[in-house]
């Protein structure tokens, strides 16, 4: 396979194998336990691909889609998970508040929304925080430009989420994605589409692969909501050697362990907090609060400040609950 610059990619490289992973193992280990990548996670099995390997194994290791395993052929459950380049996780939906691993080893997170009623700045901020927390480059994709008279206002609002954020507008069908996303979708790289149901994640994956093999379905006319067509995460390997993760639309995205990511999105506000008079300033009522002063001067948007405060509190609460759970689990006697 020919990659960027004309070099030939190995079978593993087309699956996203990079020096970061190769550097973790020696030749002997490589021969004894071949690396395989998890391309699909089902309840009772993991689908893995490697050099000459295309199989399913029982779920054993705490791993997620995109992870690299050193396949133990005799005892697949004992396969070792290689250290991750990046990991995206959220607080699981529902009441148990555990964390859910969403994807490992992404190079780019395409955060997808449409130029319609799906567009929501507060939600996009969460996704960007998630990407920053994981050390992944976020790129905002605004789809359905063909259905919108003028996407300028959407672009402006998306770009204002944080500094240096790239925003791409496109029709997810046809040739546009291939051309406009080429910079990120290079051979050997791993990219993912994240976002609500119906925004065009699977349509984008189809467009990049030049097929219509992934199922897509029309959204509801009245409120632009999708129908949760994609039901599990699937890493598709494109003929050109880029790994593309299509994900189901997320109903709810609650942050956990994302303090750094939130601070990065709101870096301007975060920087001001060090100038408040009180160390424990809540930036709500205190005198000599640098953040409130900036709002007063019109330098910080009050609504944006409120969204930041909400995310900081939510992340802190979820992180504490998770830490409590871990502590309780560690102290609990093992079941016999
Ligand atoms: N006109 C137009 N239609 C689009 C565009 N992107 C997606 N669609 C349509 O929107 C509908 C939903 O697209 P999907 O690709 O299924 O959306 P999804 O994000 O994968 O949704 P889930 O799998 O439910 O999470 C389909 O009917 C697509 O054809 C676009 O840019 N323009
Ligand atoms: Mg889909
Ligand atoms: Zn303050």
């Amino acid at each position: 396979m020919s990659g960027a610059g004309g070099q030939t990619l190995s079978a593993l490289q087309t699956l996203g194998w990079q020096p970061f992973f190769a550097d973790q193992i020696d030749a002997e280990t490589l021969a004894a336990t071949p690396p395989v990548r998890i391309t699909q996670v089902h309840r009772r099995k993991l689908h893995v691909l490697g050099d000459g390997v295309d199989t399913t194994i029982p779920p054993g290791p705490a791993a997620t889609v995109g992870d690299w395993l050193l396949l133990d052929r005799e005892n697949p459950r004992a396969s070792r998970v290689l250290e991750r380049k990046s990991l995206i996780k959220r607080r699981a939906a529902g009441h148990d508040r555990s964390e859910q691993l969403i994807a490992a080893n992404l190079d780019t997170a395409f955060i997808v929304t449409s130029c319609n009623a799906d567009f929501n700045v507060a939600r996009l901020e969460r996704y960007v925080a998630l990407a920053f927390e994981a050390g992944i480059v976020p790129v905002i994709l605004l789809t359905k430009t063909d259905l919108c008279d003028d996407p300028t206002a959407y672009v402006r609002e998306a770009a204002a989420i944080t500094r240096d954020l790239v925003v791409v507008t496109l029709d997810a069908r046809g040739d546009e994605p291939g051309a406009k996303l080429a910079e990120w979708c290079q051979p050997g790289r791993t990219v993912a589409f994240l976002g609500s149901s119906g925004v065009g994640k699977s349509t984008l994956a189809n467009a990049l692969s030049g097929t219509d093999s992934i199922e897509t379905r029309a959204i509801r006319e009245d409120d632009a909501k999708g129908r949760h067509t994609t039901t599990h995460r699937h890493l598709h390997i494109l003929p050109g050697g880029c790994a593309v993760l299509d994900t189901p639309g997320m109903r709810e995205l609650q942050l956990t362990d994302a303090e750094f990511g939130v601070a990065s999105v709101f870096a301007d506000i975060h920087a001001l907090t060090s100038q408040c008079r009180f160390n424990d300033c809540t930036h709500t009522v205190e005198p000599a609060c640098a953040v409130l002063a900036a709002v007063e001067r019109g330098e910080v948007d009050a609504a944006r400040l409120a969204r930041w405060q909400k995310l900081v509190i939510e992340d802190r609460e979820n992180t504490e609950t998770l830490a409590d759970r871990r502590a309780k689990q560690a102290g609990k006697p093992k079941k016999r």
Side-chain angles (χ1 to χ4, degrees), residues 112 114 142-147 170-173 176 193 195-206 214-219 226-231 246-250:
V112 191
S114 309
L142 289 171
T143 61
K144 311 199 184 186
T145 46
D146 54 299
L147 301 177
L170 75 181
D171 179 344
R173 309 158 307 163
E176 260 192 349
F193 295 119
S196 320
S197 176
V199 294
K201 300 179 297 298
S202 301
T203 305
L204 286 160
N206 276 333
I214 309 170
E215 192 189 353
T216 65
R217 205 150 30 132
I219 59 172
R227 298 165 195 273
H228 293 276
T229 308
T230 305
T231 53
D246 185 21
T247 65
M250 285 194 227

mmCIF file of all heavy atoms in Angstrom, residues 112 114 142-147 170-173 176 193 195-206 214-219 226-231 246-250, ligand 1:
data_model
loop_
_atom_site.group_PDB
_atom_site.id
_atom_site.type_symbol
_atom_site.label_atom_id
_atom_site.label_comp_id
_atom_site.label_asym_id
_atom_site.label_seq_id
_atom_site.Cartn_x
_atom_site.Cartn_y
_atom_site.Cartn_z
ATOM 1 N N VAL A 112 -18.797 16.294 15.196
ATOM 2 C CA VAL A 112 -19.727 16.555 14.095
ATOM 3 C C VAL A 112 -21.031 17.150 14.604
ATOM 4 O O VAL A 112 -21.631 16.650 15.559
ATOM 5 C CB VAL A 112 -20.035 15.242 13.324
ATOM 6 C CG1 VAL A 112 -20.787 15.563 12.030
ATOM 7 C CG2 VAL A 112 -18.768 14.460 13.021
ATOM 8 N N SER A 114 -24.573 19.656 12.827
ATOM 9 C CA SER A 114 -25.138 20.098 11.555
ATOM 10 C C SER A 114 -25.565 21.552 11.639
ATOM 11 O O SER A 114 -25.809 22.082 12.724
ATOM 12 C CB SER A 114 -26.375 19.263 11.204
ATOM 13 O OG SER A 114 -26.078 17.898 11.300
ATOM 14 N N LEU A 142 -19.119 20.951 10.494
ATOM 15 C CA LEU A 142 -20.499 21.419 10.367
ATOM 16 C C LEU A 142 -21.055 20.841 9.071
ATOM 17 O O LEU A 142 -20.690 21.290 7.982
ATOM 18 C CB LEU A 142 -20.521 22.941 10.296
ATOM 19 C CG LEU A 142 -20.181 23.702 11.567
ATOM 20 C CD1 LEU A 142 -20.021 25.185 11.279
ATOM 21 C CD2 LEU A 142 -21.293 23.511 12.582
ATOM 22 N N THR A 143 -21.927 19.851 9.201
ATOM 23 C CA THR A 143 -22.468 19.186 8.011
ATOM 24 C C THR A 143 -23.762 19.866 7.540
ATOM 25 O O THR A 143 -24.251 20.789 8.176
ATOM 26 C CB THR A 143 -22.793 17.711 8.317
ATOM 27 O OG1 THR A 143 -23.772 17.690 9.355
ATOM 28 C CG2 THR A 143 -21.564 16.944 8.756
ATOM 29 N N LYS A 144 -24.275 19.360 6.442
ATOM 30 C CA LYS A 144 -25.568 19.785 5.879
ATOM 31 C C LYS A 144 -25.561 21.233 5.439
ATOM 32 O O LYS A 144 -26.577 21.928 5.517
ATOM 33 C CB LYS A 144 -26.713 19.493 6.865
ATOM 34 C CG LYS A 144 -26.651 18.047 7.401
ATOM 35 C CD LYS A 144 -27.921 17.553 7.996
ATOM 36 C CE LYS A 144 -27.705 16.154 8.581
ATOM 37 N NZ LYS A 144 -28.882 15.501 9.070
ATOM 38 N N THR A 145 -24.403 21.703 4.959
ATOM 39 C CA THR A 145 -24.323 23.076 4.441
ATOM 40 C C THR A 145 -25.240 23.244 3.232
ATOM 41 O O THR A 145 -25.692 24.347 2.948
ATOM 42 C CB THR A 145 -22.880 23.416 4.012
ATOM 43 O OG1 THR A 145 -22.384 22.324 3.256
ATOM 44 C CG2 THR A 145 -22.001 23.649 5.207
ATOM 45 N N ASP A 146 -25.511 22.119 2.543
ATOM 46 C CA ASP A 146 -26.388 22.196 1.363
ATOM 47 C C ASP A 146 -27.836 22.524 1.752
ATOM 48 O O ASP A 146 -28.615 22.954 0.914
ATOM 49 C CB ASP A 146 -26.346 20.864 0.600
ATOM 50 C CG ASP A 146 -26.681 19.681 1.501
ATOM 51 O OD1 ASP A 146 -25.943 19.449 2.483
ATOM 52 O OD2 ASP A 146 -27.695 19.004 1.243
ATOM 53 N N LEU A 147 -28.173 22.305 3.021
ATOM 54 C CA LEU A 147 -29.555 22.559 3.466
ATOM 55 C C LEU A 147 -29.675 23.907 4.184
ATOM 56 O O LEU A 147 -30.712 24.220 4.763
ATOM 57 C CB LEU A 147 -30.019 21.442 4.409
ATOM 58 C CG LEU A 147 -29.997 20.022 3.836
ATOM 59 C CD1 LEU A 147 -30.399 19.015 4.906
ATOM 60 C CD2 LEU A 147 -30.915 19.909 2.628
ATOM 61 N N LEU A 170 -19.194 21.399 5.461
ATOM 62 C CA LEU A 170 -19.245 20.487 4.322
ATOM 63 C C LEU A 170 -20.597 19.796 4.166
ATOM 64 O O LEU A 170 -21.393 19.752 5.119
ATOM 65 C CB LEU A 170 -18.122 19.447 4.394
ATOM 66 C CG LEU A 170 -18.170 18.270 5.366
ATOM 67 C CD1 LEU A 170 -16.920 17.434 5.216
ATOM 68 C CD2 LEU A 170 -18.316 18.683 6.798
ATOM 69 N N ASP A 171 -20.835 19.299 2.981
ATOM 70 C CA ASP A 171 -21.924 18.376 2.706
ATOM 71 C C ASP A 171 -21.297 16.998 2.931
ATOM 72 O O ASP A 171 -20.295 16.658 2.302
ATOM 73 C CB ASP A 171 -22.375 18.560 1.251
ATOM 74 C CG ASP A 171 -23.498 17.604 0.859
ATOM 75 O OD1 ASP A 171 -23.726 16.610 1.585
ATOM 76 O OD2 ASP A 171 -24.131 17.851 -0.170
ATOM 77 N N ALA A 172 -21.865 16.245 3.879
ATOM 78 C CA ALA A 172 -21.232 14.967 4.253
ATOM 79 C C ALA A 172 -21.321 13.916 3.147
ATOM 80 O O ALA A 172 -20.625 12.907 3.200
ATOM 81 C CB ALA A 172 -21.878 14.433 5.536
ATOM 82 N N ARG A 173 -22.173 14.162 2.170
ATOM 83 C CA ARG A 173 -22.328 13.191 1.087
ATOM 84 C C ARG A 173 -21.394 13.573 -0.064
ATOM 85 O O ARG A 173 -21.026 14.727 -0.211
ATOM 86 C CB ARG A 173 -23.788 13.188 0.600
ATOM 87 C CG ARG A 173 -24.810 13.022 1.743
ATOM 88 C CD ARG A 173 -26.172 13.554 1.339
ATOM 89 N NE ARG A 173 -26.062 14.926 0.858
ATOM 90 C CZ ARG A 173 -27.004 15.535 0.148
ATOM 91 N NH1 ARG A 173 -28.103 14.914 -0.167
ATOM 92 N NH2 ARG A 173 -26.824 16.780 -0.253
ATOM 93 N N GLU A 176 -16.954 15.976 -1.080
ATOM 94 C CA GLU A 176 -16.389 17.008 -0.206
ATOM 95 C C GLU A 176 -15.569 16.460 0.967
ATOM 96 O O GLU A 176 -14.478 16.957 1.233
ATOM 97 C CB GLU A 176 -17.497 17.942 0.293
ATOM 98 C CG GLU A 176 -17.540 19.223 -0.498
ATOM 99 C CD GLU A 176 -18.418 20.290 0.137
ATOM 100 O OE1 GLU A 176 -19.175 20.009 1.091
ATOM 101 O OE2 GLU A 176 -18.335 21.407 -0.328
ATOM 102 N N PHE A 193 -15.404 9.995 14.280
ATOM 103 C CA PHE A 193 -16.532 10.913 14.197
ATOM 104 C C PHE A 193 -17.350 10.784 15.475
ATOM 105 O O PHE A 193 -17.817 9.688 15.816
ATOM 106 C CB PHE A 193 -17.412 10.584 12.978
ATOM 107 C CG PHE A 193 -16.706 10.804 11.671
ATOM 108 C CD1 PHE A 193 -16.496 9.757 10.784
ATOM 109 C CD2 PHE A 193 -16.232 12.067 11.330
ATOM 110 C CE1 PHE A 193 -15.823 9.963 9.585
ATOM 111 C CE2 PHE A 193 -15.557 12.283 10.126
ATOM 112 C CZ PHE A 193 -15.355 11.227 9.251
ATOM 113 N N GLY A 195 -20.495 12.745 17.948
ATOM 114 C CA GLY A 195 -21.569 13.738 17.903
ATOM 115 C C GLY A 195 -22.922 13.093 18.083
ATOM 116 O O GLY A 195 -23.023 11.878 18.258
ATOM 117 N N SER A 196 -23.964 13.907 18.024
ATOM 118 C CA SER A 196 -25.319 13.398 18.251
ATOM 119 C C SER A 196 -25.780 12.524 17.090
ATOM 120 O O SER A 196 -25.176 12.516 16.023
ATOM 121 C CB SER A 196 -26.314 14.548 18.370
ATOM 122 O OG SER A 196 -25.780 15.590 19.091
ATOM 123 N N SER A 197 -26.886 11.847 17.320
ATOM 124 C CA SER A 197 -27.466 11.020 16.266
ATOM 125 C C SER A 197 -27.997 11.898 15.133
ATOM 126 O O SER A 197 -28.569 12.960 15.378
ATOM 127 C CB SER A 197 -28.613 10.202 16.861
ATOM 128 O OG SER A 197 -29.247 9.464 15.845
ATOM 129 N N GLY A 198 -27.768 11.468 13.914
ATOM 130 C CA GLY A 198 -28.372 12.133 12.760
ATOM 131 C C GLY A 198 -27.558 13.255 12.143
ATOM 132 O O GLY A 198 -27.984 13.872 11.168
ATOM 133 N N VAL A 199 -26.370 13.527 12.683
ATOM 134 C CA VAL A 199 -25.588 14.653 12.160
ATOM 135 C C VAL A 199 -24.762 14.269 10.923
ATOM 136 O O VAL A 199 -24.179 15.137 10.269
ATOM 137 C CB VAL A 199 -24.651 15.259 13.232
ATOM 138 C CG1 VAL A 199 -25.465 15.912 14.339
ATOM 139 C CG2 VAL A 199 -23.701 14.216 13.795
ATOM 140 N N GLY A 200 -24.689 12.955 10.633
ATOM 141 C CA GLY A 200 -23.990 12.543 9.411
ATOM 142 C C GLY A 200 -22.663 11.837 9.625
ATOM 143 O O GLY A 200 -21.837 11.777 8.717
ATOM 144 N N LYS A 201 -22.459 11.239 10.801
ATOM 145 C CA LYS A 201 -21.185 10.554 11.081
ATOM 146 C C LYS A 201 -20.972 9.369 10.136
ATOM 147 O O LYS A 201 -19.905 9.205 9.550
ATOM 148 C CB LYS A 201 -21.148 10.080 12.546
ATOM 149 C CG LYS A 201 -21.270 11.223 13.550
ATOM 150 C CD LYS A 201 -21.259 10.734 14.992
ATOM 151 C CE LYS A 201 -22.429 9.831 15.371
ATOM 152 N NZ LYS A 201 -23.733 10.492 15.261
ATOM 153 N N SER A 202 -22.002 8.540 9.997
ATOM 154 C CA SER A 202 -21.869 7.374 9.115
ATOM 155 C C SER A 202 -21.817 7.809 7.651
ATOM 156 O O SER A 202 -21.111 7.196 6.842
ATOM 157 C CB SER A 202 -23.031 6.406 9.329
ATOM 158 O OG SER A 202 -23.056 5.977 10.674
ATOM 159 N N THR A 203 -22.543 8.867 7.323
ATOM 160 C CA THR A 203 -22.507 9.401 5.955
ATOM 161 C C THR A 203 -21.078 9.842 5.623
ATOM 162 O O THR A 203 -20.578 9.590 4.521
ATOM 163 C CB THR A 203 -23.481 10.599 5.840
ATOM 164 O OG1 THR A 203 -24.774 10.173 6.273
ATOM 165 C CG2 THR A 203 -23.557 11.116 4.418
ATOM 166 N N LEU A 204 -20.402 10.476 6.587
ATOM 167 C CA LEU A 204 -19.017 10.902 6.388
ATOM 168 C C LEU A 204 -18.090 9.698 6.206
ATOM 169 O O LEU A 204 -17.222 9.693 5.334
ATOM 170 C CB LEU A 204 -18.550 11.733 7.585
ATOM 171 C CG LEU A 204 -19.103 13.158 7.673
ATOM 172 C CD1 LEU A 204 -18.975 13.703 9.093
ATOM 173 C CD2 LEU A 204 -18.374 14.068 6.687
ATOM 174 N N ALA A 205 -18.306 8.669 7.036
ATOM 175 C CA ALA A 205 -17.460 7.468 6.941
ATOM 176 C C ALA A 205 -17.657 6.803 5.577
ATOM 177 O O ALA A 205 -16.692 6.367 4.939
ATOM 178 C CB ALA A 205 -17.785 6.499 8.073
ATOM 179 N N ASN A 206 -18.895 6.757 5.114
ATOM 180 C CA ASN A 206 -19.159 6.217 3.775
ATOM 181 C C ASN A 206 -18.462 7.047 2.702
ATOM 182 O O ASN A 206 -17.852 6.502 1.777
ATOM 183 C CB ASN A 206 -20.665 6.215 3.487
ATOM 184 C CG ASN A 206 -21.355 4.976 4.051
ATOM 185 O OD1 ASN A 206 -20.741 3.921 4.204
ATOM 186 N ND2 ASN A 206 -22.633 5.105 4.357
ATOM 187 N N ILE A 214 -22.107 1.450 5.064
ATOM 188 C CA ILE A 214 -22.539 1.705 6.444
ATOM 189 C C ILE A 214 -23.958 2.267 6.419
ATOM 190 O O ILE A 214 -24.255 3.174 5.635
ATOM 191 C CB ILE A 214 -21.599 2.701 7.155
ATOM 192 C CG1 ILE A 214 -20.141 2.248 7.012
ATOM 193 C CG2 ILE A 214 -21.975 2.849 8.627
ATOM 194 C CD1 ILE A 214 -19.130 3.289 7.467
ATOM 195 N N GLU A 215 -24.808 1.728 7.290
ATOM 196 C CA GLU A 215 -26.210 2.144 7.273
ATOM 197 C C GLU A 215 -26.378 3.595 7.765
ATOM 198 O O GLU A 215 -25.773 4.002 8.762
ATOM 199 C CB GLU A 215 -27.040 1.209 8.170
ATOM 200 C CG GLU A 215 -28.531 1.407 7.973
ATOM 201 C CD GLU A 215 -29.359 0.654 9.014
ATOM 202 O OE1 GLU A 215 -28.776 -0.117 9.808
ATOM 203 O OE2 GLU A 215 -30.582 0.862 9.035
ATOM 204 N N THR A 216 -27.223 4.343 7.058
ATOM 205 C CA THR A 216 -27.581 5.707 7.478
ATOM 206 C C THR A 216 -29.097 5.822 7.396
ATOM 207 O O THR A 216 -29.740 5.029 6.721
ATOM 208 C CB THR A 216 -26.956 6.781 6.563
ATOM 209 O OG1 THR A 216 -27.516 6.643 5.252
ATOM 210 C CG2 THR A 216 -25.442 6.651 6.488
ATOM 211 N N ARG A 217 -29.676 6.769 8.097
ATOM 212 C CA ARG A 217 -31.130 6.901 8.079
ATOM 213 C C ARG A 217 -31.559 8.355 8.244
ATOM 214 O O ARG A 217 -30.922 9.103 9.004
ATOM 215 C CB ARG A 217 -31.742 6.059 9.218
ATOM 216 C CG ARG A 217 -33.169 5.639 8.943
ATOM 217 C CD ARG A 217 -33.521 4.300 9.609
ATOM 218 N NE ARG A 217 -32.799 4.042 10.841
ATOM 219 C CZ ARG A 217 -33.400 3.627 11.961
ATOM 220 N NH1 ARG A 217 -34.712 3.478 12.007
ATOM 221 N NH2 ARG A 217 -32.685 3.352 13.029
ATOM 222 N N ALA A 218 -32.631 8.727 7.561
ATOM 223 C CA ALA A 218 -33.110 10.117 7.593
ATOM 224 C C ALA A 218 -33.494 10.526 9.009
ATOM 225 O O ALA A 218 -33.970 9.708 9.806
ATOM 226 C CB ALA A 218 -34.301 10.277 6.656
ATOM 227 N N ILE A 219 -33.280 11.800 9.309
ATOM 228 C CA ILE A 219 -33.622 12.319 10.636
ATOM 229 C C ILE A 219 -35.091 12.704 10.690
ATOM 230 O O ILE A 219 -35.761 12.761 9.672
ATOM 231 C CB ILE A 219 -32.746 13.554 10.987
ATOM 232 C CG1 ILE A 219 -32.953 14.669 9.945
ATOM 233 C CG2 ILE A 219 -31.296 13.167 11.073
ATOM 234 C CD1 ILE A 219 -32.273 15.969 10.325
ATOM 235 N N GLY A 226 -31.866 12.583 15.186
ATOM 236 C CA GLY A 226 -31.579 11.348 14.475
ATOM 237 C C GLY A 226 -32.304 10.170 15.111
ATOM 238 O O GLY A 226 -32.985 10.313 16.129
ATOM 239 N N ARG A 227 -32.130 8.995 14.492
ATOM 240 C CA ARG A 227 -32.866 7.814 14.957
ATOM 241 C C ARG A 227 -31.946 6.744 15.536
ATOM 242 O O ARG A 227 -32.284 5.571 15.578
ATOM 243 C CB ARG A 227 -33.665 7.236 13.791
ATOM 244 C CG ARG A 227 -34.695 8.221 13.259
ATOM 245 C CD ARG A 227 -35.203 7.771 11.907
ATOM 246 N NE ARG A 227 -35.917 8.840 11.224
ATOM 247 C CZ ARG A 227 -37.211 9.102 11.365
ATOM 248 N NH1 ARG A 227 -37.948 8.376 12.168
ATOM 249 N NH2 ARG A 227 -37.771 10.060 10.693
ATOM 250 N N HIS A 228 -30.775 7.129 15.945
ATOM 251 C CA HIS A 228 -29.808 6.198 16.531
ATOM 252 C C HIS A 228 -29.612 4.964 15.649
ATOM 253 O O HIS A 228 -29.791 3.830 16.074
ATOM 254 C CB HIS A 228 -30.200 5.848 17.972
ATOM 255 C CG HIS A 228 -30.071 7.041 18.867
ATOM 256 N ND1 HIS A 228 -28.886 7.418 19.441
ATOM 257 C CD2 HIS A 228 -30.956 8.004 19.203
ATOM 258 C CE1 HIS A 228 -29.041 8.541 20.125
ATOM 259 N NE2 HIS A 228 -30.300 8.929 19.984
ATOM 260 N N THR A 229 -29.229 5.241 14.425
ATOM 261 C CA THR A 229 -29.055 4.197 13.412
ATOM 262 C C THR A 229 -27.825 3.340 13.704
ATOM 263 O O THR A 229 -27.883 2.118 13.676
ATOM 264 C CB THR A 229 -28.937 4.862 12.026
ATOM 265 O OG1 THR A 229 -30.047 5.739 11.872
ATOM 266 C CG2 THR A 229 -28.928 3.820 10.920
ATOM 267 N N THR A 230 -26.707 3.978 13.972
ATOM 268 C CA THR A 230 -25.494 3.225 14.320
ATOM 269 C C THR A 230 -25.611 2.805 15.782
ATOM 270 O O THR A 230 -25.879 3.646 16.640
ATOM 271 C CB THR A 230 -24.237 4.106 14.116
ATOM 272 O OG1 THR A 230 -24.250 4.589 12.771
ATOM 273 C CG2 THR A 230 -22.967 3.330 14.383
ATOM 274 N N THR A 231 -25.403 1.511 16.045
ATOM 275 C CA THR A 231 -25.625 1.037 17.411
ATOM 276 C C THR A 231 -24.343 0.594 18.124
ATOM 277 O O THR A 231 -24.349 0.389 19.326
ATOM 278 C CB THR A 231 -26.610 -0.149 17.431
ATOM 279 O OG1 THR A 231 -26.122 -1.132 16.518
ATOM 280 C CG2 THR A 231 -28.004 0.296 17.026
ATOM 281 N N ASP A 246 -16.468 5.091 13.374
ATOM 282 C CA ASP A 246 -17.845 5.600 13.357
ATOM 283 C C ASP A 246 -18.468 5.220 14.700
ATOM 284 O O ASP A 246 -18.320 4.086 15.161
ATOM 285 C CB ASP A 246 -18.625 4.951 12.200
ATOM 286 C CG ASP A 246 -20.027 5.526 12.058
ATOM 287 O OD1 ASP A 246 -20.269 6.654 12.541
ATOM 288 O OD2 ASP A 246 -20.887 4.840 11.464
ATOM 289 N N THR A 247 -19.123 6.178 15.342
ATOM 290 C CA THR A 247 -19.681 5.924 16.678
ATOM 291 C C THR A 247 -21.189 6.167 16.676
ATOM 292 O O THR A 247 -21.689 6.933 15.861
ATOM 293 C CB THR A 247 -19.039 6.859 17.733
ATOM 294 O OG1 THR A 247 -19.389 8.215 17.429
ATOM 295 C CG2 THR A 247 -17.534 6.732 17.764
ATOM 296 N N PRO A 248 -21.916 5.541 17.601
ATOM 297 C CA PRO A 248 -23.345 5.834 17.730
ATOM 298 C C PRO A 248 -23.529 7.234 18.302
ATOM 299 O O PRO A 248 -22.691 7.703 19.077
ATOM 300 C CB PRO A 248 -23.836 4.799 18.745
ATOM 301 C CG PRO A 248 -22.710 3.858 18.968
ATOM 302 C CD PRO A 248 -21.460 4.555 18.581
ATOM 303 N N GLY A 249 -24.615 7.878 17.927
ATOM 304 C CA GLY A 249 -24.882 9.212 18.459
ATOM 305 C C GLY A 249 -25.005 9.166 19.967
ATOM 306 O O GLY A 249 -25.669 8.297 20.523
ATOM 307 N N MET A 250 -24.328 10.094 20.652
ATOM 308 C CA MET A 250 -24.392 10.094 22.118
ATOM 309 C C MET A 250 -25.588 10.908 22.568
ATOM 310 O O MET A 250 -25.786 12.031 22.128
ATOM 311 C CB MET A 250 -23.115 10.706 22.692
ATOM 312 C CG MET A 250 -21.938 9.782 22.595
ATOM 313 S SD MET A 250 -20.597 10.400 23.628
ATOM 314 C CE MET A 250 -19.234 10.263 22.491
HETATM 315 N N1 LIG B 1 -28.456 16.931 2.749
HETATM 316 C C1 LIG B 1 -27.601 16.377 3.575
HETATM 317 N N2 LIG B 1 -27.944 15.268 4.247
HETATM 318 C C2 LIG B 1 -27.056 14.734 5.090
HETATM 319 C C3 LIG B 1 -25.780 15.278 5.299
HETATM 320 N N3 LIG B 1 -25.136 14.521 6.225
HETATM 321 C C4 LIG B 1 -25.997 13.535 6.570
HETATM 322 N N4 LIG B 1 -27.151 13.656 5.894
HETATM 323 C C5 LIG B 1 -28.335 12.812 6.036
HETATM 324 O O1 LIG B 1 -28.705 12.823 7.399
HETATM 325 C C6 LIG B 1 -29.252 11.548 7.784
HETATM 326 C C7 LIG B 1 -28.515 11.013 9.004
HETATM 327 O O2 LIG B 1 -27.181 10.717 8.634
HETATM 328 P P1 LIG B 1 -26.348 9.539 9.344
HETATM 329 O O3 LIG B 1 -25.021 9.477 8.653
HETATM 330 O O4 LIG B 1 -27.152 8.315 9.435
HETATM 331 O O5 LIG B 1 -26.164 10.173 10.785
HETATM 332 P P2 LIG B 1 -25.321 9.571 12.023
HETATM 333 O O6 LIG B 1 -24.607 10.730 12.637
HETATM 334 O O7 LIG B 1 -24.489 8.440 11.588
HETATM 335 O O8 LIG B 1 -26.487 9.104 13.007
HETATM 336 P P3 LIG B 1 -26.480 7.886 14.117
HETATM 337 O O9 LIG B 1 -25.900 6.684 13.490
HETATM 338 O O10 LIG B 1 -27.915 7.740 14.474
HETATM 339 O O11 LIG B 1 -25.661 8.406 15.271
HETATM 340 C C8 LIG B 1 -29.131 10.670 6.542
HETATM 341 O O12 LIG B 1 -30.364 10.675 5.879
HETATM 342 C C9 LIG B 1 -28.066 11.358 5.713
HETATM 343 O O13 LIG B 1 -28.215 11.140 4.313
HETATM 344 C C10 LIG B 1 -25.435 16.463 4.569
HETATM 345 O O14 LIG B 1 -24.347 17.029 4.705
HETATM 346 N N5 LIG B 1 -26.379 16.954 3.725
#
